[in-house]
Short mmCIF file of all heavy atoms in Angstrom, two decimals:
data_model
loop_
_atom_site.label_atom_id
_atom_site.label_comp_id
_atom_site.label_asym_id
_atom_site.label_seq_id
_atom_site.Cartn_x
_atom_site.Cartn_y
_atom_site.Cartn_z
N ASP A 1 0.86 -1.27 -0.02
CA ASP A 1 -0.01 0.03 -0.05
C ASP A 1 0.88 1.20 0.03
O ASP A 1 1.53 1.53 0.94
CB ASP A 1 -0.87 0.00 1.22
CG ASP A 1 -1.99 0.97 1.14
OD1 ASP A 1 -2.35 1.39 0.01
OD2 ASP A 1 -2.37 1.46 2.29
N GLU A 2 0.88 2.01 -1.05
CA GLU A 2 1.74 3.20 -1.22
C GLU A 2 1.09 4.35 -0.58
O GLU A 2 -0.09 4.61 -0.72
CB GLU A 2 1.91 3.46 -2.76
CG GLU A 2 2.96 4.51 -2.95
CD GLU A 2 3.27 4.67 -4.45
OE1 GLU A 2 3.35 3.65 -5.09
OE2 GLU A 2 3.38 5.84 -4.93
N PRO A 3 1.82 5.13 0.17
CA PRO A 3 1.19 6.27 0.87
C PRO A 3 0.79 7.39 -0.14
O PRO A 3 1.23 7.49 -1.33
CB PRO A 3 2.42 6.87 1.67
CG PRO A 3 3.59 6.39 1.08
CD PRO A 3 3.24 5.02 0.44
N LEU A 4 -0.17 8.25 0.24
CA LEU A 4 -0.70 9.25 -0.60
C LEU A 4 0.26 10.40 -0.82
O LEU A 4 0.81 10.79 0.21
CB LEU A 4 -2.00 9.82 0.06
CG LEU A 4 -2.69 10.91 -0.78
CD1 LEU A 4 -3.30 10.38 -2.05
CD2 LEU A 4 -3.89 11.45 0.01
N ARG A 5 0.57 10.69 -1.99
CA ARG A 5 1.62 11.73 -2.29
C ARG A 5 0.78 12.93 -2.90
O ARG A 5 -0.03 12.79 -3.69
CB ARG A 5 2.59 11.23 -3.28
CG ARG A 5 3.43 10.06 -2.79
CD ARG A 5 4.53 9.54 -3.70
NE ARG A 5 4.19 9.63 -5.11
CZ ARG A 5 5.13 9.60 -6.02
NH1 ARG A 5 6.43 9.42 -5.72
NH2 ARG A 5 4.80 9.68 -7.34
N LEU A 6 1.17 14.09 -2.42
CA LEU A 6 0.53 15.35 -2.86
C LEU A 6 1.43 16.24 -3.54
O LEU A 6 2.66 16.40 -3.16
CB LEU A 6 -0.04 16.01 -1.61
CG LEU A 6 -1.05 15.17 -0.77
CD1 LEU A 6 -1.36 15.96 0.53
CD2 LEU A 6 -2.33 15.02 -1.52
N LEU A 7 0.95 16.97 -4.47
CA LEU A 7 1.71 18.05 -5.20
C LEU A 7 0.84 19.22 -5.10
O LEU A 7 -0.28 19.33 -5.56
CB LEU A 7 1.92 17.70 -6.66
CG LEU A 7 2.64 18.81 -7.59
CD1 LEU A 7 4.05 19.05 -6.96
CD2 LEU A 7 2.67 18.37 -9.03
N THR A 8 1.38 20.32 -4.32
CA THR A 8 0.56 21.51 -4.18
C THR A 8 0.77 22.59 -5.17
O THR A 8 1.86 22.68 -5.74
CB THR A 8 0.84 22.13 -2.68
OG1 THR A 8 2.19 22.39 -2.60
CG2 THR A 8 0.47 21.11 -1.70
N LYS A 9 -0.20 23.45 -5.35
CA LYS A 9 -0.10 24.55 -6.34
C LYS A 9 -1.13 25.55 -5.88
O LYS A 9 -2.31 25.40 -6.02
CB LYS A 9 -0.49 24.14 -7.70
CG LYS A 9 -0.47 25.15 -8.78
CD LYS A 9 -0.80 24.62 -10.14
CE LYS A 9 -0.84 25.70 -11.11
NZ LYS A 9 -2.18 26.15 -11.26
N GLY A 10 -0.55 26.59 -5.12
CA GLY A 10 -1.52 27.50 -4.57
C GLY A 10 -1.48 28.91 -5.12
O GLY A 10 -0.69 29.18 -6.01
N ASP A 11 -2.48 29.76 -4.91
CA ASP A 11 -2.48 31.06 -5.17
C ASP A 11 -2.59 31.33 -6.64
O ASP A 11 -2.11 32.34 -7.18
CB ASP A 11 -1.32 31.80 -4.67
CG ASP A 11 -1.25 31.83 -3.12
OD1 ASP A 11 -2.31 31.73 -2.48
OD2 ASP A 11 -0.24 31.91 -2.54
N ASP A 12 -3.19 30.44 -7.40
CA ASP A 12 -3.41 30.59 -8.90
C ASP A 12 -2.09 30.84 -9.54
O ASP A 12 -2.03 31.62 -10.49
CB ASP A 12 -4.38 31.73 -9.11
CG ASP A 12 -4.96 31.66 -10.53
OD1 ASP A 12 -4.94 30.55 -11.12
OD2 ASP A 12 -5.38 32.72 -10.99
N ASN A 13 -0.96 30.18 -9.14
CA ASN A 13 0.28 30.23 -9.81
C ASN A 13 0.31 29.38 -11.08
O ASN A 13 -0.47 28.44 -11.12
CB ASN A 13 1.41 29.79 -8.91
CG ASN A 13 1.55 30.75 -7.79
OD1 ASN A 13 1.32 31.90 -7.77
ND2 ASN A 13 1.93 30.11 -6.60
N LEU A 14 1.12 29.72 -11.97
CA LEU A 14 1.29 28.85 -13.13
C LEU A 14 2.09 27.66 -12.87
O LEU A 14 1.95 26.65 -13.47
CB LEU A 14 2.01 29.70 -14.30
CG LEU A 14 1.18 30.91 -14.84
CD1 LEU A 14 1.98 31.66 -15.94
CD2 LEU A 14 -0.11 30.42 -15.41
N ALA A 15 2.99 27.71 -11.92
CA ALA A 15 3.85 26.61 -11.55
C ALA A 15 3.44 25.97 -10.28
O ALA A 15 2.72 26.56 -9.42
CB ALA A 15 5.27 27.07 -11.44
N ASP A 16 3.86 24.76 -9.98
CA ASP A 16 3.70 24.13 -8.69
C ASP A 16 4.57 24.65 -7.68
O ASP A 16 5.33 25.48 -7.87
CB ASP A 16 3.76 22.61 -8.85
CG ASP A 16 5.11 22.23 -9.48
OD1 ASP A 16 6.16 22.79 -8.98
OD2 ASP A 16 5.16 21.20 -10.22
N ASP A 17 4.28 24.14 -6.42
CA ASP A 17 5.12 24.65 -5.22
C ASP A 17 6.36 23.89 -4.91
O ASP A 17 6.81 23.95 -3.75
CB ASP A 17 4.20 24.72 -3.97
CG ASP A 17 3.08 25.77 -4.08
OD1 ASP A 17 3.27 26.71 -4.89
OD2 ASP A 17 2.03 25.59 -3.41
N THR A 18 6.92 23.14 -5.78
CA THR A 18 8.03 22.31 -5.42
C THR A 18 9.29 23.09 -5.02
O THR A 18 10.09 22.65 -4.35
CB THR A 18 8.42 21.36 -6.61
OG1 THR A 18 8.54 22.20 -7.76
CG2 THR A 18 7.33 20.37 -6.93
N GLU A 19 9.31 24.42 -5.37
CA GLU A 19 10.41 25.22 -4.93
C GLU A 19 10.29 25.40 -3.39
O GLU A 19 11.37 25.70 -2.80
CB GLU A 19 10.27 26.68 -5.53
CG GLU A 19 10.45 26.71 -6.96
CD GLU A 19 10.17 28.10 -7.63
OE1 GLU A 19 9.98 29.06 -6.78
OE2 GLU A 19 10.33 28.22 -8.80
N LEU A 20 9.22 25.25 -2.83
CA LEU A 20 9.05 25.40 -1.40
C LEU A 20 9.42 23.97 -0.61
O LEU A 20 9.43 24.07 0.58
CB LEU A 20 7.66 25.82 -1.02
CG LEU A 20 7.15 27.16 -1.69
CD1 LEU A 20 5.77 27.41 -1.42
CD2 LEU A 20 8.02 28.29 -1.19
N TYR A 21 9.42 22.92 -1.36
CA TYR A 21 9.71 21.69 -0.70
C TYR A 21 11.19 21.51 -0.38
O TYR A 21 12.00 22.32 -0.87
CB TYR A 21 9.28 20.44 -1.70
CG TYR A 21 7.80 20.46 -2.07
CD1 TYR A 21 7.44 19.56 -3.09
CD2 TYR A 21 6.92 21.26 -1.45
CE1 TYR A 21 6.13 19.55 -3.44
CE2 TYR A 21 5.52 21.20 -1.87
CZ TYR A 21 5.23 20.39 -2.77
OH TYR A 21 3.90 20.24 -3.23
N ALA A 22 11.51 20.42 0.40
CA ALA A 22 12.95 20.15 0.69
C ALA A 22 13.64 19.81 -0.58
O ALA A 22 13.05 19.30 -1.58
CB ALA A 22 12.96 19.02 1.73
N ARG A 23 15.00 19.99 -0.50
CA ARG A 23 15.78 19.75 -1.77
C ARG A 23 15.61 18.20 -2.10
O ARG A 23 15.71 17.28 -1.31
CB ARG A 23 17.24 19.96 -1.37
CG ARG A 23 18.25 19.84 -2.53
CD ARG A 23 19.55 20.05 -2.14
NE ARG A 23 19.75 21.37 -1.56
CZ ARG A 23 20.24 22.55 -2.11
NH1 ARG A 23 20.53 22.43 -3.37
NH2 ARG A 23 20.30 23.62 -1.57
N GLY A 24 15.35 18.06 -3.40
CA GLY A 24 15.16 16.70 -3.92
C GLY A 24 13.78 16.09 -3.66
O GLY A 24 13.55 15.03 -4.17
N GLN A 25 12.88 16.78 -3.04
CA GLN A 25 11.53 16.30 -2.81
C GLN A 25 10.55 16.72 -3.92
O GLN A 25 10.49 17.97 -4.23
CB GLN A 25 11.08 16.80 -1.46
CG GLN A 25 9.68 16.27 -1.04
CD GLN A 25 9.35 16.80 0.38
OE1 GLN A 25 9.78 17.85 0.80
NE2 GLN A 25 8.44 16.06 1.10
N ASP A 26 9.85 15.84 -4.58
CA ASP A 26 8.98 16.13 -5.69
C ASP A 26 7.59 16.12 -5.25
O ASP A 26 6.70 16.77 -5.87
CB ASP A 26 9.11 15.12 -6.80
CG ASP A 26 10.58 15.23 -7.41
OD1 ASP A 26 11.06 16.34 -7.49
OD2 ASP A 26 11.00 14.27 -7.79
N TYR A 27 7.23 15.43 -4.13
CA TYR A 27 5.83 15.33 -3.62
C TYR A 27 5.88 15.45 -2.07
O TYR A 27 6.96 15.23 -1.43
CB TYR A 27 5.14 14.00 -3.99
CG TYR A 27 5.04 13.86 -5.51
CD1 TYR A 27 5.94 13.27 -6.36
CD2 TYR A 27 3.86 14.30 -6.04
CE1 TYR A 27 5.73 13.04 -7.61
CE2 TYR A 27 3.66 14.21 -7.38
CZ TYR A 27 4.60 13.62 -8.26
OH TYR A 27 4.39 13.44 -9.56
N LEU A 28 4.74 15.78 -1.55
CA LEU A 28 4.60 15.68 -0.13
C LEU A 28 3.99 14.35 0.30
O LEU A 28 3.03 13.89 -0.34
CB LEU A 28 3.67 16.82 0.36
CG LEU A 28 4.12 18.25 0.16
CD1 LEU A 28 3.00 19.30 0.51
CD2 LEU A 28 5.41 18.60 0.86
N ASN A 29 4.54 13.78 1.32
CA ASN A 29 3.89 12.58 1.83
C ASN A 29 2.93 12.94 2.98
O ASN A 29 3.27 13.56 3.90
CB ASN A 29 5.08 11.68 2.47
CG ASN A 29 4.57 10.40 2.92
OD1 ASN A 29 3.37 10.16 3.33
ND2 ASN A 29 5.49 9.44 2.99
N ARG A 30 1.71 12.52 2.76
CA ARG A 30 0.62 13.00 3.66
C ARG A 30 0.95 12.62 5.15
O ARG A 30 0.59 13.40 5.94
CB ARG A 30 -0.62 12.43 3.18
CG ARG A 30 -1.81 12.87 4.09
CD ARG A 30 -3.14 12.47 3.54
NE ARG A 30 -4.20 13.19 4.28
CZ ARG A 30 -5.32 13.57 3.86
NH1 ARG A 30 -5.58 13.36 2.57
NH2 ARG A 30 -6.28 14.15 4.61
N SER A 31 1.47 11.41 5.42
CA SER A 31 1.66 11.04 6.76
C SER A 31 2.79 11.69 7.40
O SER A 31 2.86 11.84 8.64
CB SER A 31 1.83 9.44 6.85
OG SER A 31 3.00 9.16 6.15
N GLU A 32 3.83 12.24 6.64
CA GLU A 32 5.00 12.80 7.23
C GLU A 32 5.04 14.32 7.05
O GLU A 32 5.58 15.05 7.93
CB GLU A 32 6.27 12.29 6.54
CG GLU A 32 6.46 10.71 6.69
CD GLU A 32 7.61 10.17 5.83
OE1 GLU A 32 8.31 11.03 5.32
OE2 GLU A 32 7.79 8.98 5.85
N ASP A 33 4.58 14.82 5.97
CA ASP A 33 4.66 16.34 5.73
C ASP A 33 3.50 17.16 5.99
O ASP A 33 3.63 18.39 6.13
CB ASP A 33 5.07 16.56 4.20
CG ASP A 33 6.36 15.77 3.90
OD1 ASP A 33 7.21 15.94 4.66
OD2 ASP A 33 6.40 15.18 2.74
N ILE A 34 2.28 16.56 6.13
CA ILE A 34 1.16 17.32 6.42
C ILE A 34 0.84 17.31 7.93
O ILE A 34 0.68 16.22 8.42
CB ILE A 34 -0.11 16.81 5.63
CG1 ILE A 34 0.16 16.72 4.17
CG2 ILE A 34 -1.34 17.62 5.91
CD1 ILE A 34 0.52 18.01 3.49
N ILE A 35 0.88 18.44 8.52
CA ILE A 35 0.74 18.51 9.93
C ILE A 35 -0.75 18.71 10.52
O ILE A 35 -1.07 18.06 11.47
CB ILE A 35 1.64 19.59 10.54
CG1 ILE A 35 3.13 19.38 10.13
CG2 ILE A 35 1.54 19.78 12.06
CD1 ILE A 35 4.00 20.46 10.53
N GLY A 36 -1.47 19.61 9.91
CA GLY A 36 -2.73 19.97 10.42
C GLY A 36 -3.83 19.65 9.44
O GLY A 36 -3.66 19.04 8.44
N SER A 37 -5.04 20.10 9.78
CA SER A 37 -6.18 19.93 8.92
C SER A 37 -7.07 21.22 8.93
O SER A 37 -6.96 21.86 10.00
CB SER A 37 -6.96 18.70 9.25
OG SER A 37 -7.44 18.88 10.61
N VAL A 38 -7.87 21.43 7.98
CA VAL A 38 -8.70 22.62 7.94
C VAL A 38 -9.88 22.42 8.89
O VAL A 38 -10.60 21.39 8.86
CB VAL A 38 -9.18 22.76 6.53
CG1 VAL A 38 -10.20 24.02 6.51
CG2 VAL A 38 -8.10 23.00 5.62
N LYS A 39 -10.12 23.35 9.82
CA LYS A 39 -11.26 23.42 10.66
C LYS A 39 -12.36 24.40 10.28
O LYS A 39 -13.47 24.37 10.68
CB LYS A 39 -10.75 23.75 12.07
CG LYS A 39 -9.82 22.76 12.74
CD LYS A 39 -10.57 21.43 12.91
CE LYS A 39 -9.51 20.43 13.68
NZ LYS A 39 -10.03 19.18 13.82
N GLY A 40 -11.93 25.39 9.54
CA GLY A 40 -12.93 26.43 9.04
C GLY A 40 -12.29 27.15 7.79
O GLY A 40 -11.28 26.93 7.37
N TYR A 41 -13.19 27.97 7.31
CA TYR A 41 -12.95 28.64 6.06
C TYR A 41 -13.42 30.07 6.06
O TYR A 41 -14.59 30.23 6.36
CB TYR A 41 -13.45 27.89 4.84
CG TYR A 41 -13.31 28.51 3.49
CD1 TYR A 41 -12.08 28.69 2.93
CD2 TYR A 41 -14.39 29.16 2.91
CE1 TYR A 41 -11.93 29.33 1.67
CE2 TYR A 41 -14.32 29.65 1.68
CZ TYR A 41 -13.09 29.82 1.06
OH TYR A 41 -13.01 30.50 -0.15
N ILE A 42 -12.61 31.06 5.89
CA ILE A 42 -13.11 32.52 5.87
C ILE A 42 -12.75 32.97 4.47
O ILE A 42 -11.51 33.34 4.15
CB ILE A 42 -12.37 33.33 6.99
CG1 ILE A 42 -12.65 32.69 8.38
CG2 ILE A 42 -12.85 34.70 6.91
CD1 ILE A 42 -11.87 33.38 9.44
N PRO A 43 -13.73 33.07 3.57
CA PRO A 43 -13.45 33.49 2.29
C PRO A 43 -12.91 34.99 2.18
O PRO A 43 -13.43 35.82 2.92
CB PRO A 43 -14.83 33.36 1.49
CG PRO A 43 -15.79 33.38 2.60
CD PRO A 43 -15.15 32.84 3.81
N PHE A 44 -12.00 35.25 1.25
CA PHE A 44 -11.55 36.63 0.92
C PHE A 44 -10.77 37.31 2.10
O PHE A 44 -10.43 38.38 1.96
CB PHE A 44 -12.63 37.54 0.52
CG PHE A 44 -13.54 36.97 -0.66
CD1 PHE A 44 -14.81 36.58 -0.39
CD2 PHE A 44 -12.94 36.83 -1.86
CE1 PHE A 44 -15.50 35.98 -1.48
CE2 PHE A 44 -13.71 36.26 -2.95
CZ PHE A 44 -14.97 35.85 -2.72
N VAL A 45 -10.37 36.56 3.11
CA VAL A 45 -9.61 37.20 4.22
C VAL A 45 -8.22 37.55 3.76
O VAL A 45 -7.64 38.49 4.29
CB VAL A 45 -9.58 36.35 5.46
CG1 VAL A 45 -8.63 35.14 5.35
CG2 VAL A 45 -9.29 37.04 6.67
N GLY A 46 -7.73 36.93 2.73
CA GLY A 46 -6.40 37.19 2.28
C GLY A 46 -6.38 38.50 1.56
O GLY A 46 -5.22 39.14 1.37
N TYR A 47 -7.43 39.03 1.15
CA TYR A 47 -7.49 40.37 0.42
C TYR A 47 -6.99 41.47 1.37
O TYR A 47 -6.51 42.54 0.97
CB TYR A 47 -8.89 40.66 -0.04
CG TYR A 47 -9.14 39.90 -1.33
CD1 TYR A 47 -10.09 39.03 -1.39
CD2 TYR A 47 -8.44 40.13 -2.53
CE1 TYR A 47 -10.45 38.21 -2.56
CE2 TYR A 47 -8.62 39.44 -3.67
CZ TYR A 47 -9.68 38.48 -3.68
OH TYR A 47 -9.91 37.82 -4.79
N VAL A 48 -7.20 41.32 2.72
CA VAL A 48 -6.75 42.30 3.61
C VAL A 48 -5.27 42.51 3.59
O VAL A 48 -4.66 43.64 3.53
CB VAL A 48 -7.16 41.95 5.06
CG1 VAL A 48 -6.62 42.92 6.15
CG2 VAL A 48 -8.66 41.89 5.21
N THR A 49 -4.56 41.34 3.56
CA THR A 49 -3.02 41.42 3.36
C THR A 49 -2.63 42.04 2.08
O THR A 49 -1.69 42.81 2.01
CB THR A 49 -2.57 39.92 3.40
OG1 THR A 49 -2.93 39.28 4.64
CG2 THR A 49 -0.98 39.92 3.38
N ILE A 50 -3.34 41.72 0.92
CA ILE A 50 -3.03 42.30 -0.30
C ILE A 50 -3.24 43.80 -0.24
O ILE A 50 -2.34 44.60 -0.73
CB ILE A 50 -3.85 41.68 -1.41
CG1 ILE A 50 -3.42 40.18 -1.53
CG2 ILE A 50 -3.71 42.43 -2.71
CD1 ILE A 50 -4.34 39.41 -2.48
N LEU A 51 -4.28 44.31 0.24
CA LEU A 51 -4.59 45.69 0.35
C LEU A 51 -3.60 46.39 1.20
O LEU A 51 -3.13 47.50 0.87
CB LEU A 51 -5.96 45.92 0.99
CG LEU A 51 -7.13 45.64 0.06
CD1 LEU A 51 -8.49 45.69 0.88
CD2 LEU A 51 -7.23 46.68 -1.09
N LEU A 52 -3.18 45.78 2.38
CA LEU A 52 -2.19 46.47 3.22
C LEU A 52 -0.86 46.56 2.57
O LEU A 52 -0.02 47.48 2.80
CB LEU A 52 -2.09 45.73 4.56
CG LEU A 52 -3.38 45.85 5.46
CD1 LEU A 52 -3.24 45.04 6.68
CD2 LEU A 52 -3.59 47.23 5.75
N SER A 53 -0.53 45.59 1.72
CA SER A 53 0.81 45.63 1.07
C SER A 53 0.80 46.53 -0.13
O SER A 53 1.83 47.18 -0.41
CB SER A 53 1.29 44.27 0.68
OG SER A 53 0.41 43.59 -0.15
N GLU A 54 -0.30 46.64 -0.83
CA GLU A 54 -0.38 47.54 -1.99
C GLU A 54 -0.66 49.06 -1.60
O GLU A 54 -0.31 49.87 -2.41
CB GLU A 54 -1.47 47.06 -2.86
CG GLU A 54 -1.23 45.78 -3.66
CD GLU A 54 -2.18 45.36 -4.59
OE1 GLU A 54 -3.29 46.04 -4.69
OE2 GLU A 54 -2.06 44.27 -5.30
N HIS A 55 -1.13 49.19 -0.48
CA HIS A 55 -1.57 50.61 -0.02
C HIS A 55 -0.94 50.88 1.41
O HIS A 55 -1.63 50.68 2.38
CB HIS A 55 -3.03 50.93 -0.07
CG HIS A 55 -3.72 50.64 -1.34
ND1 HIS A 55 -3.51 51.31 -2.46
CD2 HIS A 55 -4.56 49.51 -1.69
CE1 HIS A 55 -4.18 50.81 -3.44
NE2 HIS A 55 -4.72 49.70 -3.05
N PRO A 56 0.34 51.23 1.51
CA PRO A 56 0.96 51.44 2.83
C PRO A 56 0.19 52.40 3.70
O PRO A 56 0.18 52.24 4.99
CB PRO A 56 2.34 51.89 2.43
CG PRO A 56 2.60 51.44 1.09
CD PRO A 56 1.17 51.41 0.33
N TRP A 57 -0.36 53.38 3.17
CA TRP A 57 -1.12 54.38 3.97
C TRP A 57 -2.21 53.77 4.78
O TRP A 57 -2.66 54.23 5.81
CB TRP A 57 -1.62 55.56 3.20
CG TRP A 57 -2.51 55.11 2.01
CD1 TRP A 57 -2.17 54.77 0.82
CD2 TRP A 57 -3.97 54.98 2.17
NE1 TRP A 57 -3.31 54.43 -0.01
CE2 TRP A 57 -4.44 54.59 0.82
CE3 TRP A 57 -4.91 55.16 3.18
CZ2 TRP A 57 -5.80 54.31 0.58
CZ3 TRP A 57 -6.27 54.93 2.87
CH2 TRP A 57 -6.67 54.51 1.61
N LEU A 58 -2.80 52.68 4.17
CA LEU A 58 -3.90 51.91 4.82
C LEU A 58 -3.54 51.40 6.11
O LEU A 58 -4.27 51.31 7.08
CB LEU A 58 -4.47 51.00 3.91
CG LEU A 58 -5.82 50.33 4.22
CD1 LEU A 58 -6.92 51.39 4.37
CD2 LEU A 58 -6.20 49.31 3.15
N LYS A 59 -2.15 50.91 6.20
CA LYS A 59 -1.69 50.42 7.49
C LYS A 59 -1.77 51.45 8.55
O LYS A 59 -2.14 51.19 9.72
CB LYS A 59 -0.24 49.91 7.39
CG LYS A 59 -0.01 48.77 6.55
CD LYS A 59 1.42 48.39 6.49
CE LYS A 59 1.62 47.34 5.44
NZ LYS A 59 3.09 46.99 5.26
N THR A 60 -1.36 52.68 8.21
CA THR A 60 -1.37 53.81 9.20
C THR A 60 -2.79 54.09 9.65
O THR A 60 -3.11 54.32 10.84
CB THR A 60 -0.71 55.03 8.57
OG1 THR A 60 0.57 54.71 8.11
CG2 THR A 60 -0.62 56.11 9.59
N VAL A 61 -3.70 54.15 8.67
CA VAL A 61 -5.11 54.43 8.98
C VAL A 61 -5.73 53.32 9.91
O VAL A 61 -6.32 53.66 10.93
CB VAL A 61 -5.98 54.46 7.79
CG1 VAL A 61 -7.40 54.59 8.12
CG2 VAL A 61 -5.55 55.67 6.88
N MET A 62 -5.36 52.02 9.63
CA MET A 62 -5.93 50.99 10.55
C MET A 62 -5.29 50.97 11.94
O MET A 62 -6.01 50.77 12.91
CB MET A 62 -5.70 49.64 9.84
CG MET A 62 -6.62 49.34 8.63
SD MET A 62 -6.45 47.64 7.97
CE MET A 62 -7.04 46.71 9.32
N LEU A 63 -3.99 51.26 11.92
CA LEU A 63 -3.31 51.33 13.28
C LEU A 63 -3.91 52.51 14.09
O LEU A 63 -4.15 52.41 15.33
CB LEU A 63 -1.82 51.50 13.13
CG LEU A 63 -1.11 50.24 12.77
CD1 LEU A 63 0.33 50.56 12.42
CD2 LEU A 63 -1.17 49.24 13.87
N GLY A 64 -4.18 53.68 13.42
CA GLY A 64 -4.81 54.80 14.12
C GLY A 64 -6.18 54.50 14.62
O GLY A 64 -6.46 54.87 15.72
N LEU A 65 -6.98 53.73 13.84
CA LEU A 65 -8.30 53.35 14.24
C LEU A 65 -8.28 52.46 15.40
O LEU A 65 -9.06 52.63 16.26
CB LEU A 65 -9.10 52.83 13.06
CG LEU A 65 -9.54 53.77 11.97
CD1 LEU A 65 -10.06 52.96 10.80
CD2 LEU A 65 -10.53 54.74 12.44
N MET A 66 -7.32 51.47 15.37
CA MET A 66 -7.25 50.54 16.45
C MET A 66 -6.81 51.29 17.70
O MET A 66 -7.25 51.02 18.83
CB MET A 66 -6.31 49.40 16.12
CG MET A 66 -6.86 48.45 15.03
SD MET A 66 -5.90 46.92 14.76
CE MET A 66 -4.35 47.63 14.05
N GLY A 67 -5.77 52.18 17.62
CA GLY A 67 -5.38 53.00 18.73
C GLY A 67 -6.45 53.76 19.28
O GLY A 67 -6.61 53.89 20.52
N ALA A 68 -7.32 54.39 18.44
CA ALA A 68 -8.45 55.24 18.95
C ALA A 68 -9.42 54.34 19.67
O ALA A 68 -9.95 54.83 20.75
CB ALA A 68 -9.10 55.98 17.76
N VAL A 69 -9.65 53.18 19.16
CA VAL A 69 -10.60 52.27 19.90
C VAL A 69 -10.08 51.92 21.27
O VAL A 69 -10.82 51.93 22.24
CB VAL A 69 -10.90 51.04 19.13
CG1 VAL A 69 -11.60 49.90 19.83
CG2 VAL A 69 -11.73 51.40 17.76
N VAL A 70 -8.82 51.67 21.39
CA VAL A 70 -8.21 51.23 22.65
C VAL A 70 -8.35 52.46 23.67
O VAL A 70 -8.67 52.38 24.74
CB VAL A 70 -6.75 50.87 22.51
CG1 VAL A 70 -6.05 50.80 23.77
CG2 VAL A 70 -6.68 49.55 21.76
N VAL A 71 -7.97 53.68 23.16
CA VAL A 71 -8.01 54.84 23.99
C VAL A 71 -9.41 55.20 24.46
O VAL A 71 -9.67 55.58 25.57
CB VAL A 71 -7.33 56.08 23.28
CG1 VAL A 71 -7.50 57.37 24.10
CG2 VAL A 71 -5.79 55.83 23.09
N LEU A 72 -10.38 55.08 23.47
CA LEU A 72 -11.71 55.56 23.82
C LEU A 72 -12.61 54.54 24.38
O LEU A 72 -13.67 54.74 24.85
CB LEU A 72 -12.38 56.01 22.47
CG LEU A 72 -11.69 57.20 21.83
CD1 LEU A 72 -12.35 57.56 20.52
CD2 LEU A 72 -11.77 58.41 22.76
N GLN A 73 -12.03 53.30 24.51
CA GLN A 73 -12.88 52.14 25.10
C GLN A 73 -12.95 52.38 26.58
O GLN A 73 -12.06 52.69 27.31
CB GLN A 73 -12.21 50.85 24.80
CG GLN A 73 -12.93 49.67 25.31
CD GLN A 73 -12.24 48.34 24.98
OE1 GLN A 73 -11.10 48.39 24.66
NE2 GLN A 73 -12.96 47.29 25.15
N ARG A 74 -14.17 52.26 27.13
CA ARG A 74 -14.40 52.36 28.49
C ARG A 74 -14.88 51.04 29.16
O ARG A 74 -15.58 50.25 28.52
CB ARG A 74 -15.57 53.44 28.84
CG ARG A 74 -15.13 54.71 28.32
CD ARG A 74 -16.32 55.69 28.60
NE ARG A 74 -15.97 56.96 27.93
CZ ARG A 74 -16.61 58.04 28.22
NH1 ARG A 74 -17.58 58.10 29.05
NH2 ARG A 74 -16.24 59.21 27.56
N GLU A 75 -14.41 50.79 30.37
CA GLU A 75 -14.71 49.60 30.93
C GLU A 75 -15.76 49.80 32.07
O GLU A 75 -15.63 50.75 32.85
CB GLU A 75 -13.47 48.90 31.50
CG GLU A 75 -12.64 48.32 30.42
CD GLU A 75 -11.55 47.45 30.94
OE1 GLU A 75 -11.63 46.97 32.09
OE2 GLU A 75 -10.51 47.30 30.20
#
């Protein structure tokens, strides 16, 4: 019984992810290389990271808003 071998390709890339694997590794072995499992899914949450990296001023705005919430929050 041969173990399940996986080849990943994420983020709509043209190439597979073998550049991220260990040297000489062509596939991932499910029993050795896969550590966790998916418990939930939040669609489009990655767009926040993209927006923050493409618009640096947005980081400042978000940090300012979070700071204002902390200062103005009453217990």
Side-chain angles (χ1 to χ4, degrees):
D1 191 29
E2 190 173 320
L4 182 62
R5 299 183 327 162
L6 303 170
L7 176 64
T8 58
K9 179 178 174 271
D11 300 332
D12 197 25
N13 296 328
L14 296 176
D16 54 42
D17 289 340
T18 52
E19 294 176 2
L20 304 173
Y21 298 171
R23 186 179 304 259
Q25 186 178 20
D26 294 326
Y27 294 93
L28 297 175
N29 182 335
R30 184 173 186 146
S31 62
E32 296 173 9
D33 298 318
I34 307 299
I35 297 172
S37 61
V38 175
K39 297 291 184 186
Y41 173 71
I42 303 174
F44 306 111
V45 75
Y47 284 114
V48 174
T49 306
I50 294 171
L51 285 172
L52 291 175
S53 61
E54 288 183 355
H55 305 288
W57 59 269
L58 194 56
K59 290 180 190 177
T60 307
V61 171
M62 287 187 67
L63 285 172
L65 288 173
M66 289 189 295
V69 167
V70 169
V71 169
L72 298 175
Q73 183 180 15
R74 298 181 186 195
E75 291 189 23

